[in-house]
Amino acid sequence: MSDEENQMGEEEGEEEQETLECKLTEQMSGESLSLLCKIGNGLSHAYVKMDLRGKSLTDISIISAFVHVRYLDLSDNKLDSLSSLSSLTHLLTLKADNNRLTTAALSPMPYLQRASFQNNKITSTEGISHPLLEVLNLNNNMISEVQFDGDALRKLSVLEMRGNQLTSTVGLGLPKLQRLYLGENQITEIVDLEKCTALKILHLRGNGETTNQLENLDGFSKNMVALQYLNLRGTKISALKAEIKKIKCLPMLRGLILKDSPVSKEEEYRIEVIMNIRNLERLDKDIFTDEERQEAQELYRQREEEGKLGENNPDGAMFLD
């Protein structure tokens, strides 16, 4: 048999194996358990950690019997449904990365605090409504629209949605959010984020070509009183003087990334930014020097004398040492 025939046979075997059902068994379940803890009134004990990574599982229906599990890892399997988890109401953390899920919908889990569903085929955020959820990872899925229930996710502070198909930030106005990661989407519009009064970190990085092609900085608000770090690397922002004034309203902004955007190639780019955002400490991760601040102050005074500040600083902002 030729090498080519051997290779074709191997590929066919792999494809056939891909379609085979692999059920979670009692033996596999038992071998995956660890961390013996007290349960209920403290008089009984049970294993509360279950690690089922990389088992090629397609069916985990038996898992519904393990009602005391608190920490569950189902990553790197072939699961297309998590419906069997509805009885695991004591879950604190759930990982289901690298599966074949098209939805992350689950019955509300009263104690779930961290959940990760990255690298699946999820198309919707419906059905994610866990009252104590603090950290949610939905990176690298196929979500084009956000439909979170803000009342149900009142504790959510970290949301990762890199590498999806979002075209705007509609639906992401969650008041308790502190970190929001939206890089490598298709975002062209910033909306609803004025509700994110606790937000400290916002990533909107594009790749300079096809993702996050933001052309303006409309949508930022003085209500975003906690925002300290804003990453706009690789976006399409090109009008420096017109756009930079739109984020002067962010009182706590300390770090700004505009590298690989058209504005970063403008003359006096760094000076123009620090002249408008006086509290900024870093631009493109480089700390502003005393010399740059002095140059910005001199440029401000020069424009003031020339009467150009009305055009570039309509709010009448003054540069301070």
Side-chain angles (χ1 to χ4, degrees):
M1 184 179 292
S2 67
D3 292 341
E4 185 176 346
E5 289 174 332
N6 280 329
Q7 184 175 355
M8 289 178 62
E10 289 175 3
E11 289 176 354
E12 289 174 0
E14 289 174 1
E15 290 176 3
E16 183 179 349
Q17 187 174 3
E18 287 262 341
T19 62
L20 291 177
E21 186 179 69
C22 182
K23 284 189 174 184
L24 178 62
T25 64
E26 288 188 12
Q27 181 178 347
M28 292 170 65
S29 300
E31 292 172 352
S32 72
L33 290 168
S34 62
L35 192 59
L36 189 64
C37 290
K38 292 180 179 179
I39 58 171
N41 59 10
L43 300 178
S44 301
H45 293 75
Y47 290 104
V48 299
K49 184 175 182 180
M50 180 175 270
D51 187 345
L52 291 167
R53 289 173 292 172
K55 306 292 186 183
S56 298
L57 295 170
T58 60
D59 183 339
I60 56 169
S61 54
I62 194 176
I63 206 170
S64 61
F66 295 86
V67 295
H68 299 297
V69 169
R70 301 173 190 171
Y71 310 97
L72 177 61
D73 194 341
L74 294 168
S75 300
D76 305 309
N77 284 290
K78 300 174 183 176
L79 300 172
D80 57 18
S81 172
L82 297 177
S83 59
S84 301
L85 303 185
S86 59
S87 62
L88 276 61
T89 56
H90 293 282
L91 275 180
L92 297 176
T93 67
L94 170 62
K95 289 190 69 176
D97 303 337
N98 303 307
N99 278 281
R100 299 175 178 176
L101 302 173
T102 57
T103 177
L106 289 168
S107 301
M109 298 283 180
Y111 305 112
L112 188 65
Q113 297 173 20
R114 304 176 71 94
S116 182
F117 306 98
Q118 67 177 347
N119 299 319
N120 279 281
K121 299 179 180 179
I122 296 168
T123 58
S124 170
T125 60
E126 288 189 61
I128 303 177
S129 54
H130 314 294
L132 296 185
L133 190 65
E134 297 178 3
V135 179
L136 175 61
N137 187 336
L138 290 166
N139 287 339
N140 302 317
N141 279 284
M142 303 169 65
I143 302 167
S144 59
E145 191 174 299
V146 172
Q147 296 172 310
F148 287 128
D149 181 347
D151 293 331
L153 293 175
R154 55 186 179 271
K155 294 283 189 179
L156 191 64
S157 63
V158 181
L159 176 59
E160 301 195 40
M161 293 190 70
R162 299 180 182 91
N164 279 278
Q165 299 171 10
L166 299 175
T167 57
S168 81
T169 56
V170 170
L172 289 169
L174 301 171
K176 294 295 184 180
L177 267 187
Q178 295 185 24
R179 289 184 279 165
L180 178 57
Y181 301 92
L182 300 173
E184 304 293 324
N185 276 278
Q186 308 294 323
I187 295 173
T188 59
E189 182 183 28
I190 303 297
V191 289
D192 278 356
L193 295 190
E194 71 277 359
K195 302 171 186 174
C196 297
T197 54
L199 191 64
K200 296 180 180 180
I201 295 174
L202 175 58
H203 275 248
L204 288 163
R205 178 175 177 169
N207 65 7
E209 298 176 1
T210 58
T211 63
N212 284 1
Q213 299 186 55
L214 276 173
E215 295 183 356
N216 62 66
L217 295 177
D218 297 335
F220 288 93
S221 166
K222 63 182 180 181
N223 294 334
M224 301 169 74
V225 294
L227 191 61
Q228 300 177 21
Y229 179 86
L230 176 59
N231 191 331
L232 296 164
R233 181 173 181 171
T235 52
K236 296 291 185 180
I237 298 164
S238 58
L240 178 58
K241 293 179 182 178
E243 298 304 323
I244 200 67
K245 67 185 181 184
K246 297 176 182 177
I247 55 174
K248 288 197 303 183
C249 60
L250 303 172
M252 294 298 293
L253 191 63
R254 297 294 183 268
L256 175 64
I257 308 290
L258 286 166
K259 187 177 181 180
D260 299 331
S261 298
V263 291
S264 66
K265 299 176 176 62
E266 287 197 23
E267 188 178 356
E268 297 182 333
Y269 157 61
R270 289 179 61 83
I271 303 306
E272 193 70 44
V273 171
I274 190 59
M275 189 176 74
N276 280 274
I277 309 175
R278 303 182 303 278
N279 293 327
L280 203 63
E281 296 174 355
R282 295 174 181 266
L283 178 61
D284 299 335
K285 299 188 178 179
D286 293 324
I287 295 175
F288 281 105
T289 64
D290 291 339
E291 290 77 11
E292 286 176 318
R293 292 183 182 277
Q294 180 63 32
E295 186 177 346
Q297 185 179 31
E298 292 171 1
L299 180 60
Y300 176 88
R301 288 171 179 164
Q302 179 185 336
R303 289 185 181 173
E304 187 178 36
E305 292 171 1
E306 295 173 354
K308 293 182 178 180
L309 288 176
E311 177 184 351
N312 296 324
N313 291 272
D315 299 326
M318 292 183 62
F319 187 92
L320 302 175
D321 290 331

